[in-house]
């Protein structure tokens, strides 16, 4: 099988960590798979492994300096323009921090800031550094930009400690690069509408009825669809997440606001993926002033919100794919299949809530059902992996491949 890396231009950024020696093997693997590789190193990386090693392995001069070469003034722009993928391996905490803040003070970081192609980061650092709040926040920011990550892995550190922070094996870095390239452009020309997060239903200026949805699953789906080349409209309830790069974000609060935004965007959408946890009810009246404490008991009268997805099901255009989510505590399969039918969906993703999966955390387990029954069980995976599995199925469905 031809590798997605075949005939691709790879930029490999190498930063200064002990794992830099592993990148020599990464270059070799990329070339074995048919890619052309240009290595850009930081000055500290060149203290761990010489540029000569990378020049010999890549067959091209390894670049270290922003000001070397006759065309130095534009070299980082030229490098960035022709790359199909930018892989940074190993990526130190310093590089990750600079990338998250847009700091560009050497050839590698200026080039990284200028690229438009997919970016894959293979972090490598001491386990306590990897565990620091700053690094965690920076990685979250980069994920928000749409960057992919390979590792890090758990294991013994060069310094003798044990933990998370080892650079992934070169073969895993190469596989992650192949996976990113394999799907790039898959959804080119398609519009995907994704909803995410909770809706909040106000009672008065200080109180609301909400739910525990964090928006992570929907954001992961939006990010993956954008990465695969779709135009993505993300209608999001209130969440505290960085919006993925390149998506059109429409922020809403209540179910009625979400309904209006979804109906407007659905007109052009080839696929609608409703990952939002929409409030089924809202207070009948919203007080404009704070409701004061009074009797020992009180009643809030709730009225039903529109079912946004069922509304789309009724007006579905031929060729438009409708995907629902069903967060269930029990009877997952039965409930999910009933919702698929009632809302006239093409696909439904049942996910268990409670335990290690579902609202708030980074893990999820999707069981996908089509009209003819069970399609896929992802097992417990990260939400990014669940999003990839879901989009693989959606892609097949949009190609007209049958949903068995
Ligand atoms: N949904 C919607 N509008 C609503 C309620 C739900 O569009 N008012 C969508 C959700 O985004 C999800 C799917 O319908 O994709 C199923 O939502 P879920 O809350 O699991 O089911 P409900 O239909 O609300 O049924 P119940 O709460 O009784 O389980």
């Amino acid at each position: 099988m031809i590798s997605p890396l075949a005939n691709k231009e790879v930029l490999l950024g190498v930063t200064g960590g002990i794992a830099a020696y592993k990148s020599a093997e990464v270059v070799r693997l990329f070339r074995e798979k048919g890619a052309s590789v240009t290595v850009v190193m930081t000055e500290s990386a060149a203290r761990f492994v010489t540029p000569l090693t990378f020049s010999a392995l890549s067959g091209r001069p390894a670049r270290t300096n922003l000001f070397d070469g006759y065309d130095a003034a534009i070299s980082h722009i030229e490098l960035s323009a022709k790359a199909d993928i930018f892989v940074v391996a190993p990526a130190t905490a310093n590089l990750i921090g600079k990338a998250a803040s847009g700091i560009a003070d050497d050839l590698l970081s200026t080039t990284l800031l200028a690229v438009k192609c997919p970016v894959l980061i293979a972090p490598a650092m001491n386990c306590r550094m990897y565990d620091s709040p700053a690094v965690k926040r920076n990685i979250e920011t980069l994920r928000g930009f749409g960057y992919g990550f390979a590792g890090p892995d758990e294991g013994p550190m060069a310094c003798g400690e044990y933990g998370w922070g080892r650079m992934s094996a070169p073969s895993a870095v190469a596989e992650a690069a192949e996976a990113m390239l394999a799907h790039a452009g898959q959804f080119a020309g398609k519009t995907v509408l994704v909803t995410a997060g909770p809706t909040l239903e106000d009672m008065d200026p200080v109180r609301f009825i909400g739910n525990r949805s964090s928006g992570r699953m929907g954001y992961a789906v939006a990010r993956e669809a954008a990465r695969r080349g779709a135009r993505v409209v993300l209608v999001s309830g209130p969440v505290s997440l960085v919006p993925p790069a390149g998506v059109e974000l429409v922020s809403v609060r209540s179910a009625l606001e979400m309904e209006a935004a979804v109906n407007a965007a659905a007109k052009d959408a080839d696929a609608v993926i409703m990952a939002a946890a929409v409030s089924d009810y809202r207070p009948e009246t919203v007080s404009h002033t704070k409701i004061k404490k009074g009797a020992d008991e009180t009643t809030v009268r709730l009225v039903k919100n529109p079912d946004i997805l069922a509304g789309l099901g009724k007006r579905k255009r031929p060729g438009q794919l409708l995907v629902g989510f069903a967060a269930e505590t029990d009877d997952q399969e039965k409930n999910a299949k009933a919702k698929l039918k009632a809302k006239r969906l093409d696909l439904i993703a049942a996910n268990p809530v409670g335990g290690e999966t579902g609202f708030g955390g980074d893990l999820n387990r999707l069981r996908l059902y089509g009209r003819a029954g069970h399609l896929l069980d992802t097992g417990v995976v990260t939400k990014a992996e669940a999003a990839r599995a879901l989009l693989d199925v959606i892609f097949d469905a949009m190609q007209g491949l049958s949903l068995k």
Side-chain angles (χ1 to χ4, degrees):
M1 210 179 76
I2 296 173
S3 162
L5 279 159
N7 304 316
K8 292 293 187 309
E9 272 295 335
V10 177
L11 265 177
L12 177 65
V14 182
T15 65
I18 189 71
Y21 77 92
K22 291 189 190 172
S23 301
E25 177 69 2
V26 173
V27 178
R28 203 190 59 73
L29 285 174
F30 282 167
R31 293 205 64 195
E32 201 174 276
K33 290 169 187 289
S36 303
V37 184
T38 304
V39 176
V40 178
M41 307 175 74
T42 60
E43 291 195 352
S44 39
R47 299 176 73 157
F48 285 93
V49 182
T50 67
L52 187 61
T53 304
F54 286 107
S55 301
L57 285 168
S58 67
R60 293 175 173 181
R63 308 286 307 269
T64 49
N65 195 322
L66 191 52
F67 304 106
D68 61 5
Y70 63 94
D71 57 351
I74 54 162
S75 65
H76 63 289
I77 301 298
E78 275 185 358
L79 281 172
S80 58
K82 61 178 189 173
D84 293 302
I85 186 166
F86 196 159
V87 180
V88 186
T92 54
N94 182 45
L95 182 279
I96 288 170
K98 287 202 289 190
S101 330
I103 294 173
D105 61 357
D106 59 9
L107 183 61
L108 203 168
S109 52
T110 45
T111 310
L112 186 55
L113 204 58
V115 288
K116 287 268 178 257
C117 63
V119 177
L120 175 67
I121 304 277
M125 67 196 76
N126 167 274
C127 51
R128 280 177 289 119
M129 290 171 73
Y130 182 63
D131 207 30
S132 76
V135 169
K136 281 195 178 136
R137 181 203 57 197
N138 291 337
I139 288 179
E140 199 53 38
T141 302
L142 294 183
R143 281 193 204 280
F145 293 169
Y147 287 18
F149 279 80
D153 292 347
E154 189 184 21
M157 312 258 113
C159 56
E161 292 183 52
Y162 185 94
W164 290 94
R166 281 168 62 92
M167 181 176 138
S168 282
S171 58
V173 175
E175 272 168 31
E178 284 181 309
M180 280 187 95
L181 283 170
H183 297 126
Q186 198 180 43
F187 283 80
K190 301 287 182 203
T191 297
V192 175
L193 167 60
V194 182
T195 66
T199 65
L200 305 186
E201 310 297 332
D202 288 334
M203 289 169 61
D204 71 8
V206 285
R207 303 178 183 94
F208 60 81
I209 296 174
N211 61 65
R212 297 187 193 191
S213 169
S214 66
R216 282 174 191 277
M217 190 62 235
Y219 274 54
V221 171
R223 177 174 301 125
E224 187 61 23
R227 210 182 254 166
R228 295 184 185 200
R231 170 185 167 237
V232 178
V233 181
L234 173 60
V235 177
S236 174
V239 295
S240 44
L241 296 174
V242 184
V247 311
E248 296 166 34
L249 179 71
V250 184
S251 296
V252 298
R253 183 170 173 84
S254 64
L256 290 178
E257 282 176 22
M258 184 170 278
E259 184 191 35
V262 165
N263 286 347
K267 293 192 182 89
D268 306 324
D270 298 289
V272 182
I273 306 166
M274 282 283 305
V278 186
S279 247
D280 289 327
Y281 295 91
R282 65 179 184 277
E284 186 175 36
T285 53
V286 182
S287 170
H288 294 295
T289 53
K290 187 181 172 201
I291 301 167
K292 299 308 270 180
K293 178 164 64 198
D296 284 351
E297 285 180 19
T298 184
T299 305
V300 179
R301 203 177 152 74
L302 302 176
V303 293
K304 212 168 192 176
N305 271 327
D307 191 314
I308 305 171
L309 195 49
L312 293 180
K314 281 185 198 138
R315 299 188 302 277
K316 192 161 107 87
R317 283 199 328 266
Q320 188 179 54
L321 198 86
L322 287 188
V323 184
F325 269 72
E328 306 289 349
T329 53
D330 45 67
D331 269 343
Q332 270 188 57
E333 178 165 354
K334 191 167 140 264
N335 288 333
K337 284 181 172 169
K339 285 175 191 174
L340 177 100
K341 199 158 173 239
K343 302 188 194 212
R344 301 188 198 177
L345 309 179
D346 299 286
L347 199 62
I348 195 152
N351 62 298
V353 285
E356 59 180 338
T357 59
F359 291 160
D362 195 41
L363 298 176
N364 209 351
R365 175 177 187 168
L366 299 185
R367 290 191 177 87
L368 300 181
Y369 301 94
R371 291 208 206 112
H374 181 261
L375 286 168
L376 181 79
D377 180 350
T378 62
V380 176
V381 289
T382 63
K383 288 183 176 172
E385 284 164 328
R388 286 198 281 276
L390 178 62
L391 281 163
D392 285 345
V393 174
I394 291 176
F395 178 72
D396 286 351
M398 287 168 82
Q399 295 298 98
L401 304 178
S402 67
L403 290 174
K404 289 191 288 307

